[in-house]
PDB file of all heavy atoms in Angstrom:
ATOM      1  N   PRO A   1     -12.142   9.485   7.383  1.00 98.00           N
ATOM      2  CA  PRO A   1     -13.167   9.534   6.354  1.00 98.00           C
ATOM      3  C   PRO A   1     -14.131  10.697   6.574  1.00 98.00           C
ATOM      4  O   PRO A   1     -14.416  11.069   7.718  1.00 98.00           O
ATOM      5  CB  PRO A   1     -13.893   8.194   6.523  1.00 98.00           C
ATOM      6  CG  PRO A   1     -13.751   7.888   7.983  1.00 98.00           C
ATOM      7  CD  PRO A   1     -12.406   8.435   8.381  1.00 98.00           C
ATOM      8  N   THR A   2     -14.633  11.260   5.480  1.00 97.00           N
ATOM      9  CA  THR A   2     -15.564  12.387   5.571  1.00 97.00           C
ATOM     10  C   THR A   2     -17.024  11.954   5.504  1.00 97.00           C
ATOM     11  O   THR A   2     -17.918  12.797   5.530  1.00 97.00           O
ATOM     12  CB  THR A   2     -15.293  13.395   4.443  1.00 97.00           C
ATOM     13  OG1 THR A   2     -15.344  12.706   3.183  1.00 97.00           O
ATOM     14  CG2 THR A   2     -13.937  14.049   4.617  1.00 97.00           C
ATOM     15  N   SER A   3     -17.275  10.665   5.417  1.00 97.00           N
ATOM     16  CA  SER A   3     -18.652  10.171   5.371  1.00 97.00           C
ATOM     17  C   SER A   3     -18.678   8.695   5.739  1.00 97.00           C
ATOM     18  O   SER A   3     -17.650   8.013   5.706  1.00 97.00           O
ATOM     19  CB  SER A   3     -19.253  10.355   3.974  1.00 97.00           C
ATOM     20  OG  SER A   3     -18.565   9.548   3.028  1.00 97.00           O
ATOM     21  N   ARG A   4     -19.859   8.214   6.083  1.00 96.00           N
ATOM     22  CA  ARG A   4     -20.012   6.785   6.342  1.00 96.00           C
ATOM     23  C   ARG A   4     -19.712   5.980   5.084  1.00 96.00           C
ATOM     24  O   ARG A   4     -19.125   4.899   5.145  1.00 96.00           O
ATOM     25  CB  ARG A   4     -21.434   6.505   6.824  1.00 96.00           C
ATOM     26  CG  ARG A   4     -21.757   7.089   8.190  1.00 96.00           C
ATOM     27  CD  ARG A   4     -23.219   6.952   8.521  1.00 96.00           C
ATOM     28  NE  ARG A   4     -23.544   7.648   9.776  1.00 96.00           N
ATOM     29  CZ  ARG A   4     -24.769   7.966  10.136  1.00 96.00           C
ATOM     30  NH1 ARG A   4     -25.796   7.656   9.355  1.00 96.00           N
ATOM     31  NH2 ARG A   4     -24.987   8.595  11.294  1.00 96.00           N
ATOM     32  N   GLU A   5     -20.124   6.528   3.955  1.00 96.00           N
ATOM     33  CA  GLU A   5     -19.858   5.858   2.671  1.00 96.00           C
ATOM     34  C   GLU A   5     -18.366   5.640   2.461  1.00 96.00           C
ATOM     35  O   GLU A   5     -17.913   4.548   2.096  1.00 96.00           O
ATOM     36  CB  GLU A   5     -20.443   6.699   1.533  1.00 96.00           C
ATOM     37  CG  GLU A   5     -20.116   6.227   0.137  1.00 96.00           C
ATOM     38  CD  GLU A   5     -20.543   7.218  -0.921  1.00 96.00           C
ATOM     39  OE1 GLU A   5     -21.467   8.021  -0.673  1.00 96.00           O
ATOM     40  OE2 GLU A   5     -19.937   7.202  -2.010  1.00 96.00           O
ATOM     41  N   THR A   6     -17.585   6.688   2.716  1.00 98.00           N
ATOM     42  CA  THR A   6     -16.137   6.579   2.561  1.00 98.00           C
ATOM     43  C   THR A   6     -15.545   5.634   3.599  1.00 98.00           C
ATOM     44  O   THR A   6     -14.635   4.853   3.291  1.00 98.00           O
ATOM     45  CB  THR A   6     -15.486   7.966   2.667  1.00 98.00           C
ATOM     46  OG1 THR A   6     -15.912   8.766   1.554  1.00 98.00           O
ATOM     47  CG2 THR A   6     -13.974   7.888   2.658  1.00 98.00           C
ATOM     48  N   ALA A   7     -16.050   5.687   4.821  1.00 97.00           N
ATOM     49  CA  ALA A   7     -15.549   4.799   5.869  1.00 97.00           C
ATOM     50  C   ALA A   7     -15.783   3.334   5.497  1.00 97.00           C
ATOM     51  O   ALA A   7     -14.913   2.477   5.720  1.00 97.00           O
ATOM     52  CB  ALA A   7     -16.221   5.123   7.198  1.00 97.00           C
ATOM     53  N   GLU A   8     -16.938   3.044   4.917  1.00 97.00           N
ATOM     54  CA  GLU A   8     -17.242   1.670   4.507  1.00 97.00           C
ATOM     55  C   GLU A   8     -16.294   1.202   3.409  1.00 97.00           C
ATOM     56  O   GLU A   8     -15.767   0.081   3.459  1.00 97.00           O
ATOM     57  CB  GLU A   8     -18.696   1.569   4.047  1.00 97.00           C
ATOM     58  CG  GLU A   8     -19.705   1.715   5.185  1.00 97.00           C
ATOM     59  CD  GLU A   8     -21.138   1.749   4.688  1.00 97.00           C
ATOM     60  OE1 GLU A   8     -21.338   1.587   3.450  1.00 97.00           O
ATOM     61  OE2 GLU A   8     -22.046   1.941   5.515  1.00 97.00           O
ATOM     62  N   LEU A   9     -16.067   2.070   2.411  1.00 98.00           N
ATOM     63  CA  LEU A   9     -15.164   1.693   1.327  1.00 98.00           C
ATOM     64  C   LEU A   9     -13.740   1.538   1.844  1.00 98.00           C
ATOM     65  O   LEU A   9     -13.026   0.600   1.460  1.00 98.00           O
ATOM     66  CB  LEU A   9     -15.215   2.734   0.209  1.00 98.00           C
ATOM     67  CG  LEU A   9     -14.321   2.473  -1.008  1.00 98.00           C
ATOM     68  CD1 LEU A   9     -14.590   1.101  -1.616  1.00 98.00           C
ATOM     69  CD2 LEU A   9     -14.502   3.567  -2.060  1.00 98.00           C
ATOM     70  N   ALA A  10     -13.317   2.423   2.735  1.00 98.00           N
ATOM     71  CA  ALA A  10     -11.976   2.317   3.305  1.00 98.00           C
ATOM     72  C   ALA A  10     -11.815   1.003   4.065  1.00 98.00           C
ATOM     73  O   ALA A  10     -10.757   0.360   4.001  1.00 98.00           O
ATOM     74  CB  ALA A  10     -11.699   3.501   4.231  1.00 98.00           C
ATOM     75  N   GLY A  11     -12.864   0.595   4.760  1.00 97.00           N
ATOM     76  CA  GLY A  11     -12.800  -0.675   5.464  1.00 97.00           C
ATOM     77  C   GLY A  11     -12.639  -1.840   4.517  1.00 97.00           C
ATOM     78  O   GLY A  11     -11.850  -2.762   4.767  1.00 97.00           O
ATOM     79  N   GLN A  12     -13.371  -1.804   3.402  1.00 97.00           N
ATOM     80  CA  GLN A  12     -13.268  -2.872   2.404  1.00 97.00           C
ATOM     81  C   GLN A  12     -11.870  -2.924   1.805  1.00 97.00           C
ATOM     82  O   GLN A  12     -11.370  -4.013   1.467  1.00 97.00           O
ATOM     83  CB  GLN A  12     -14.310  -2.656   1.302  1.00 97.00           C
ATOM     84  CG  GLN A  12     -15.744  -2.764   1.762  1.00 97.00           C
ATOM     85  CD  GLN A  12     -16.730  -2.284   0.711  1.00 97.00           C
ATOM     86  OE1 GLN A  12     -16.378  -2.116  -0.455  1.00 97.00           O
ATOM     87  NE2 GLN A  12     -17.965  -2.041   1.117  1.00 97.00           N
ATOM     88  N   LEU A  13     -11.232  -1.754   1.689  1.00 97.00           N
ATOM     89  CA  LEU A  13      -9.902  -1.675   1.078  1.00 97.00           C
ATOM     90  C   LEU A  13      -8.786  -1.813   2.102  1.00 97.00           C
ATOM     91  O   LEU A  13      -7.616  -1.704   1.744  1.00 97.00           O
ATOM     92  CB  LEU A  13      -9.765  -0.344   0.332  1.00 97.00           C
ATOM     93  CG  LEU A  13     -10.736  -0.130  -0.831  1.00 97.00           C
ATOM     94  CD1 LEU A  13     -10.646   1.299  -1.345  1.00 97.00           C
ATOM     95  CD2 LEU A  13     -10.472  -1.119  -1.954  1.00 97.00           C
ATOM     96  N   GLN A  14      -9.163  -2.034   3.360  1.00 97.00           N
ATOM     97  CA  GLN A  14      -8.192  -2.204   4.452  1.00 97.00           C
ATOM     98  C   GLN A  14      -7.297  -0.975   4.620  1.00 97.00           C
ATOM     99  O   GLN A  14      -6.092  -1.085   4.870  1.00 97.00           O
ATOM    100  CB  GLN A  14      -7.364  -3.483   4.243  1.00 97.00           C
ATOM    101  CG  GLN A  14      -8.209  -4.746   4.207  1.00 97.00           C
ATOM    102  CD  GLN A  14      -7.398  -6.029   4.068  1.00 97.00           C
ATOM    103  OE1 GLN A  14      -6.187  -5.992   3.851  1.00 97.00           O
ATOM    104  NE2 GLN A  14      -8.061  -7.159   4.198  1.00 97.00           N
ATOM    105  N   ILE A  15      -7.919   0.199   4.495  1.00 98.00           N
ATOM    106  CA  ILE A  15      -7.227   1.453   4.774  1.00 98.00           C
ATOM    107  C   ILE A  15      -7.422   1.761   6.256  1.00 98.00           C
ATOM    108  O   ILE A  15      -8.558   1.945   6.703  1.00 98.00           O
ATOM    109  CB  ILE A  15      -7.774   2.613   3.914  1.00 98.00           C
ATOM    110  CG1 ILE A  15      -7.596   2.310   2.420  1.00 98.00           C
ATOM    111  CG2 ILE A  15      -7.103   3.927   4.280  1.00 98.00           C
ATOM    112  CD1 ILE A  15      -8.277   3.315   1.502  1.00 98.00           C
ATOM    113  N   PRO A  16      -6.370   1.798   7.065  1.00 98.00           N
ATOM    114  CA  PRO A  16      -6.524   2.055   8.504  1.00 98.00           C
ATOM    115  C   PRO A  16      -7.110   3.455   8.742  1.00 98.00           C
ATOM    116  O   PRO A  16      -6.721   4.425   8.089  1.00 98.00           O
ATOM    117  CB  PRO A  16      -5.098   1.963   9.039  1.00 98.00           C
ATOM    118  CG  PRO A  16      -4.322   1.231   7.994  1.00 98.00           C
ATOM    119  CD  PRO A  16      -4.954   1.567   6.698  1.00 98.00           C
ATOM    120  N   LEU A  17      -8.043   3.546   9.696  1.00 97.00           N
ATOM    121  CA  LEU A  17      -8.719   4.800   9.985  1.00 97.00           C
ATOM    122  C   LEU A  17      -8.428   5.270  11.407  1.00 97.00           C
ATOM    123  O   LEU A  17      -8.324   4.464  12.330  1.00 97.00           O
ATOM    124  CB  LEU A  17     -10.232   4.648   9.797  1.00 97.00           C
ATOM    125  CG  LEU A  17     -10.708   4.253   8.404  1.00 97.00           C
ATOM    126  CD1 LEU A  17     -12.232   4.128   8.391  1.00 97.00           C
ATOM    127  CD2 LEU A  17     -10.251   5.256   7.351  1.00 97.00           C
ATOM    128  N   LEU A  18      -8.335   6.585  11.557  1.00 96.00           N
ATOM    129  CA  LEU A  18      -8.215   7.192  12.878  1.00 96.00           C
ATOM    130  C   LEU A  18      -9.606   7.336  13.497  1.00 96.00           C
ATOM    131  O   LEU A  18     -10.609   7.392  12.775  1.00 96.00           O
ATOM    132  CB  LEU A  18      -7.554   8.566  12.760  1.00 96.00           C
ATOM    133  CG  LEU A  18      -6.115   8.601  12.241  1.00 96.00           C
ATOM    134  CD1 LEU A  18      -5.664  10.041  12.053  1.00 96.00           C
ATOM    135  CD2 LEU A  18      -5.188   7.871  13.202  1.00 96.00           C
ATOM    136  N   PRO A  19      -9.711   7.435  14.825  1.00 94.00           N
ATOM    137  CA  PRO A  19     -11.018   7.624  15.476  1.00 94.00           C
ATOM    138  C   PRO A  19     -11.690   8.912  14.989  1.00 94.00           C
ATOM    139  O   PRO A  19     -11.034   9.955  14.855  1.00 94.00           O
ATOM    140  CB  PRO A  19     -10.669   7.705  16.959  1.00 94.00           C
ATOM    141  CG  PRO A  19      -9.346   7.031  17.086  1.00 94.00           C
ATOM    142  CD  PRO A  19      -8.620   7.306  15.811  1.00 94.00           C
ATOM    143  N   GLU A  20     -13.000   8.854  14.742  1.00 89.00           N
ATOM    144  CA  GLU A  20     -13.720  10.026  14.251  1.00 89.00           C
ATOM    145  C   GLU A  20     -13.656  11.187  15.236  1.00 89.00           C
ATOM    146  O   GLU A  20     -13.675  12.353  14.839  1.00 89.00           O
ATOM    147  CB  GLU A  20     -15.183   9.673  13.972  1.00 89.00           C
ATOM    148  CG  GLU A  20     -15.385   8.798  12.758  1.00 89.00           C
ATOM    149  CD  GLU A  20     -16.857   8.632  12.418  1.00 89.00           C
ATOM    150  OE1 GLU A  20     -17.706   9.204  13.132  1.00 89.00           O
ATOM    151  OE2 GLU A  20     -17.153   7.935  11.428  1.00 89.00           O
ATOM    152  N   GLU A  21     -13.609  10.893  16.523  1.00 89.00           N
ATOM    153  CA  GLU A  21     -13.604  11.943  17.529  1.00 89.00           C
ATOM    154  C   GLU A  21     -12.189  12.284  17.992  1.00 89.00           C
ATOM    155  O   GLU A  21     -12.006  12.884  19.056  1.00 89.00           O
ATOM    156  CB  GLU A  21     -14.482  11.528  18.710  1.00 89.00           C
ATOM    157  CG  GLU A  21     -15.945  11.346  18.317  1.00 89.00           C
ATOM    158  CD  GLU A  21     -16.840  11.010  19.493  1.00 89.00           C
ATOM    159  OE1 GLU A  21     -16.352  11.020  20.638  1.00 89.00           O
ATOM    160  OE2 GLU A  21     -18.023  10.734  19.257  1.00 89.00           O
ATOM    161  N   GLY A  22     -11.206  11.904  17.216  1.00 84.00           N
ATOM    162  CA  GLY A  22      -9.826  12.197  17.565  1.00 84.00           C
ATOM    163  C   GLY A  22      -9.446  13.638  17.269  1.00 84.00           C
ATOM    164  O   GLY A  22     -10.172  14.378  16.606  1.00 84.00           O
ATOM    165  N   GLU A  23      -8.303  14.027  17.783  1.00 89.00           N
ATOM    166  CA  GLU A  23      -7.748  15.355  17.488  1.00 89.00           C
ATOM    167  C   GLU A  23      -6.646  15.160  16.457  1.00 89.00           C
ATOM    168  O   GLU A  23      -5.527  14.796  16.774  1.00 89.00           O
ATOM    169  CB  GLU A  23      -7.190  15.984  18.764  1.00 89.00           C
ATOM    170  CG  GLU A  23      -6.686  17.411  18.564  1.00 89.00           C
ATOM    171  CD  GLU A  23      -6.213  18.045  19.864  1.00 89.00           C
ATOM    172  OE1 GLU A  23      -6.524  17.495  20.935  1.00 89.00           O
ATOM    173  OE2 GLU A  23      -5.530  19.079  19.803  1.00 89.00           O
ATOM    174  N   TRP A  24      -6.998  15.393  15.177  1.00 91.00           N
ATOM    175  CA  TRP A  24      -6.066  15.066  14.102  1.00 91.00           C
ATOM    176  C   TRP A  24      -5.254  16.291  13.686  1.00 91.00           C
ATOM    177  O   TRP A  24      -5.732  17.408  13.743  1.00 91.00           O
ATOM    178  CB  TRP A  24      -6.802  14.561  12.850  1.00 91.00           C
ATOM    179  CG  TRP A  24      -8.088  13.867  13.095  1.00 91.00           C
ATOM    180  CD1 TRP A  24      -8.280  12.654  13.692  1.00 91.00           C
ATOM    181  CD2 TRP A  24      -9.391  14.332  12.724  1.00 91.00           C
ATOM    182  NE1 TRP A  24      -9.602  12.338  13.723  1.00 91.00           N
ATOM    183  CE2 TRP A  24     -10.315  13.342  13.132  1.00 91.00           C
ATOM    184  CE3 TRP A  24      -9.869  15.461  12.079  1.00 91.00           C
ATOM    185  CZ2 TRP A  24     -11.686  13.463  12.922  1.00 91.00           C
ATOM    186  CZ3 TRP A  24     -11.221  15.595  11.875  1.00 91.00           C
ATOM    187  CH2 TRP A  24     -12.113  14.604  12.293  1.00 91.00           C
ATOM    188  N   GLU A  25      -4.042  16.006  13.233  1.00 94.00           N
ATOM    189  CA  GLU A  25      -3.243  16.977  12.492  1.00 94.00           C
ATOM    190  C   GLU A  25      -2.869  16.287  11.198  1.00 94.00           C
ATOM    191  O   GLU A  25      -1.901  15.540  11.129  1.00 94.00           O
ATOM    192  CB  GLU A  25      -2.010  17.400  13.296  1.00 94.00           C
ATOM    193  CG  GLU A  25      -2.333  18.210  14.537  1.00 94.00           C
ATOM    194  CD  GLU A  25      -1.090  18.696  15.255  1.00 94.00           C
ATOM    195  OE1 GLU A  25       0.010  18.524  14.693  1.00 94.00           O
ATOM    196  OE2 GLU A  25      -1.232  19.243  16.358  1.00 94.00           O
ATOM    197  N   LEU A  26      -3.666  16.504  10.172  1.00 98.00           N
ATOM    198  CA  LEU A  26      -3.543  15.761   8.930  1.00 98.00           C
ATOM    199  C   LEU A  26      -2.480  16.372   8.028  1.00 98.00           C
ATOM    200  O   LEU A  26      -2.353  17.600   7.929  1.00 98.00           O
ATOM    201  CB  LEU A  26      -4.884  15.726   8.201  1.00 98.00           C
ATOM    202  CG  LEU A  26      -6.064  15.171   9.002  1.00 98.00           C
ATOM    203  CD1 LEU A  26      -7.338  15.224   8.168  1.00 98.00           C
ATOM    204  CD2 LEU A  26      -5.797  13.743   9.465  1.00 98.00           C
ATOM    205  N   ASP A  27      -1.742  15.506   7.368  1.00 98.00           N
ATOM    206  CA  ASP A  27      -0.748  15.989   6.405  1.00 98.00           C
ATOM    207  C   ASP A  27      -1.420  16.502   5.139  1.00 98.00           C
ATOM    208  O   ASP A  27      -1.005  17.513   4.565  1.00 98.00           O
ATOM    209  CB  ASP A  27       0.221  14.849   6.053  1.00 98.00           C
ATOM    210  CG  ASP A  27       1.002  14.391   7.264  1.00 98.00           C
ATOM    211  OD1 ASP A  27       1.831  15.177   7.766  1.00 98.00           O
ATOM    212  OD2 ASP A  27       0.783  13.251   7.726  1.00 98.00           O
ATOM    213  N   VAL A  28      -2.457  15.812   4.708  1.00 98.00           N
ATOM    214  CA  VAL A  28      -3.117  16.164   3.460  1.00 98.00           C
ATOM    215  C   VAL A  28      -4.543  15.629   3.486  1.00 98.00           C
ATOM    216  O   VAL A  28      -4.823  14.610   4.133  1.00 98.00           O
ATOM    217  CB  VAL A  28      -2.336  15.570   2.252  1.00 98.00           C
ATOM    218  CG1 VAL A  28      -2.281  14.058   2.328  1.00 98.00           C
ATOM    219  CG2 VAL A  28      -2.914  16.020   0.926  1.00 98.00           C
ATOM    220  N   ALA A  29      -5.443  16.326   2.831  1.00 98.00           N
ATOM    221  CA  ALA A  29      -6.795  15.837   2.593  1.00 98.00           C
ATOM    222  C   ALA A  29      -7.023  15.827   1.094  1.00 98.00           C
ATOM    223  O   ALA A  29      -6.586  16.733   0.377  1.00 98.00           O
ATOM    224  CB  ALA A  29      -7.838  16.721   3.279  1.00 98.00           C
ATOM    225  N   VAL A  30      -7.698  14.780   0.621  1.00 98.00           N
ATOM    226  CA  VAL A  30      -7.965  14.623  -0.808  1.00 98.00           C
ATOM    227  C   VAL A  30      -9.470  14.512  -0.993  1.00 98.00           C
ATOM    228  O   VAL A  30     -10.123  13.666  -0.379  1.00 98.00           O
ATOM    229  CB  VAL A  30      -7.267  13.368  -1.374  1.00 98.00           C
ATOM    230  CG1 VAL A  30      -7.572  13.215  -2.860  1.00 98.00           C
ATOM    231  CG2 VAL A  30      -5.763  13.443  -1.142  1.00 98.00           C
TER     232      VAL A  30
END
């Protein structure tokens, strides 16, 4: 998530999240 707001909504929608301090290689960003 790019914000706390998005993280909260993702949690409500049960979208699994990666750790904020992780080293990501993302396929796509929307």
Side-chain angles (χ1 to χ4, degrees):
T2 55
S3 65
R4 293 172 186 163
E5 173 189 335
T6 294
E8 290 174 4
L9 180 55
Q12 295 169 15
L13 298 171
Q14 300 183 352
I15 300 172
L17 300 179
L18 297 174
E20 288 188 0
E21 297 183 6
E23 184 177 346
W24 331 292
E25 292 184 8
L26 304 179
D27 297 293
V28 61
V30 179

